[in-house]
Amino acid sequence: KMFYFYNNGVTIICDEAQNSPGNNEINLSGVSIVNGAQTVNSLAELNSEGSLQENVNILIRIIQIKDYEQRAKITEYLNSQTAIKESYFIANHSLVRKLQEDLFKYKYYLERQINEYAYKHQNTSKYNDYHILPVEHAIQRYVGGYLNNKASQAKSNKSTLFDSKNIEENMQEISAEKVVISDILYERISAVITMYRKNRRNANNNEFSTFLNVNPDEYNSDLYSFVNTCDILILNTVINIQNNNSQLSIVPEFEEKQDQKIDECIREAINLIKDIISNDEDLKSSAPATLTKSAKVFNLVQKAIK
């Protein structure tokens, strides 16, 4: 019965609140718990176990506000002593909300918060055939692909990309089309990396050497060891090749010729990276996982393309 006095309570922000004093109810839309989520989870767990006592009360503060910049600040200031991912703070940023809207025309659903799609739309069919893309993936792949000066950071320290102080700079020139392109490329690059990993586990698996158009008898997997952790570096290289040669145009509705062009660019990127590493004694002696985070390698590859 003293819980009300011991607990700091729960703060909720929402787009709209409709109070019904007679029913002792309030209906909210556009809701986020910005402080007290741990408390709510604990109470919910007790309730599911049948252990929550009826005399437990809690202070609830509800803030109706549609200014998303202010919503983000409320979230940040109320959690000044709690470790919360920076990506949570950007969920209500105006640029992120606009990006979510713009991506709908490409049949992409940008999840601004973890499990947003399942929570909001699991019982609806409106977005059933949409590609679900978490905001962290969207921004990491966009920055890694299009921002040359931050591409290595997208690989080596991606959490800093979501810093509230950097997010506007990182998203200045973002567009739905660039996000879709970087995502499509990333997924194909990931499939190629999987080919390489299969070959490393089984020397008789020739998928990767076939993809590279290399005779299996002449293929040396050690020369491509960087591929295992090279997702962002290959992505950045492919997009720079595309921008430099203007030979690749991607839209979500793939055609076979576009698939072939993408694979050609990925092959060119992998071989370019291999040659740069092989021709530098310092790089050759470095661990592959270190190479694919190295700003030096990103710079050398970007310079070679130019």
Side-chain angles (χ1 to χ4, degrees):
K1 65 182 181 181
M2 295 297 291
F3 185 78
Y4 180 93
F5 303 101
Y6 295 157
N7 186 270
N8 285 329
V10 175
T11 301
I12 296 171
I13 54 176
C14 65
D15 292 332
E16 187 177 353
Q18 294 181 336
N19 200 5
S20 302
N23 298 329
N24 200 27
E25 291 181 353
I26 185 165
N27 296 316
L28 312 177
S29 61
V31 174
S32 293
I33 296 175
V34 295
N35 190 255
Q38 185 177 350
T39 294
V40 171
N41 284 327
S42 297
L43 294 175
E45 185 177 346
L46 286 172
N47 185 60
S48 67
E49 296 171 354
S51 304
L52 185 61
Q53 298 177 26
E54 291 187 5
N55 64 350
V56 171
N57 293 298
I58 188 168
L59 176 67
I60 303 288
R61 177 168 59 159
I62 298 169
I63 303 170
Q64 178 180 298
I65 183 169
K66 291 187 177 181
D67 184 322
Y68 297 117
E69 305 296 340
Q70 290 300 326
R71 287 168 71 122
K73 288 180 180 178
I74 290 170
T75 303
E76 180 176 2
Y77 296 148
L78 287 180
N79 291 282
S80 60
Q81 295 181 6
T82 305
I84 290 184
K85 289 174 65 179
E86 289 286 357
S87 55
Y88 179 84
F89 292 139
I90 69 169
N92 286 317
H93 196 289
S94 56
L95 289 173
V96 176
R97 282 188 169 266
K98 182 179 185 303
L99 181 62
Q100 185 184 55
E101 289 293 325
D102 292 345
L103 281 166
F104 286 147
K105 70 178 180 180
Y106 293 98
K107 289 200 166 185
Y108 266 68
Y109 188 97
L110 183 72
E111 280 196 317
R112 296 183 292 106
Q113 295 179 341
I114 295 172
N115 296 326
E116 176 185 357
Y117 175 81
Y119 178 73
K120 288 185 175 181
H121 306 290
Q122 60 183 343
N123 297 320
T124 67
S125 58
K126 184 176 180 181
Y127 303 109
N128 271 355
D129 57 343
Y130 280 45
H131 179 75
I132 311 302
L133 181 63
V135 67
E136 292 95 334
H137 292 176
I139 293 176
Q140 183 194 24
R141 293 169 190 180
Y142 163 73
V143 173
Y146 285 94
L147 303 187
N148 283 344
N149 62 330
K150 293 194 174 185
S152 63
Q153 181 183 348
K155 178 64 177 179
S156 63
N157 198 5
K158 68 177 182 179
S159 62
T160 60
L161 302 178
F162 314 120
D163 190 307
S164 55
K165 298 175 183 177
N166 297 328
I167 193 64
E168 291 198 16
E169 178 185 349
N170 292 340
M171 295 184 67
Q172 272 184 356
E173 298 181 9
I174 200 169
S175 68
E177 182 181 6
K178 288 179 179 178
V179 168
V180 170
I181 289 172
S182 59
D183 182 66
I184 290 172
L185 289 174
Y186 186 91
E187 293 299 327
R188 180 55 183 159
I189 290 165
S190 296
V192 173
I193 292 173
T194 298
M195 293 181 195
Y196 173 77
R197 290 171 179 170
K198 287 180 180 178
N199 167 255
R200 291 292 284 189
R201 291 194 297 266
N202 179 7
N204 293 322
N205 186 306
N206 298 322
E207 281 183 82
F208 185 68
S209 58
T210 300
F211 173 81
L212 292 177
N213 295 326
V214 175
N215 188 314
D217 295 333
E218 300 173 358
Y219 170 73
N220 181 354
S221 65
D222 291 338
L223 293 177
Y224 299 93
S225 57
F226 63 88
V227 171
N228 192 47
T229 57
C230 203
D231 50 350
I232 298 297
L233 179 56
I234 296 175
L235 176 64
N236 181 257
T237 306
V238 167
I239 289 178
N240 276 304
I241 290 171
Q242 171 200 347
N243 292 339
N244 193 57
N245 298 335
S246 300
Q247 64 177 4
L248 180 62
S249 177
I250 303 172
V251 293
E253 295 78 16
F254 272 84
E255 296 178 358
E256 185 176 352
K257 289 183 178 179
Q258 288 175 318
D259 286 344
Q260 292 173 356
K261 287 182 178 179
I262 289 170
D263 283 353
E264 287 171 10
C265 281
I266 293 174
R267 274 192 291 272
E268 183 178 347
I270 290 173
N271 285 319
L272 175 61
I273 295 166
K274 174 181 72 70
D275 290 343
I276 287 173
I277 292 173
S278 298
N279 292 327
D280 188 303
E281 291 300 324
D282 290 337
L283 297 181
K284 280 171 63 176
S285 61
S286 299
T290 302
L291 289 174
T292 53
K293 297 177 183 177
S294 166
K296 176 184 177 180
V297 176
F298 276 84
N299 291 336
L300 287 172
V301 173
Q302 292 162 7
K303 184 178 178 182
I305 294 169
K306 290 180 180 179

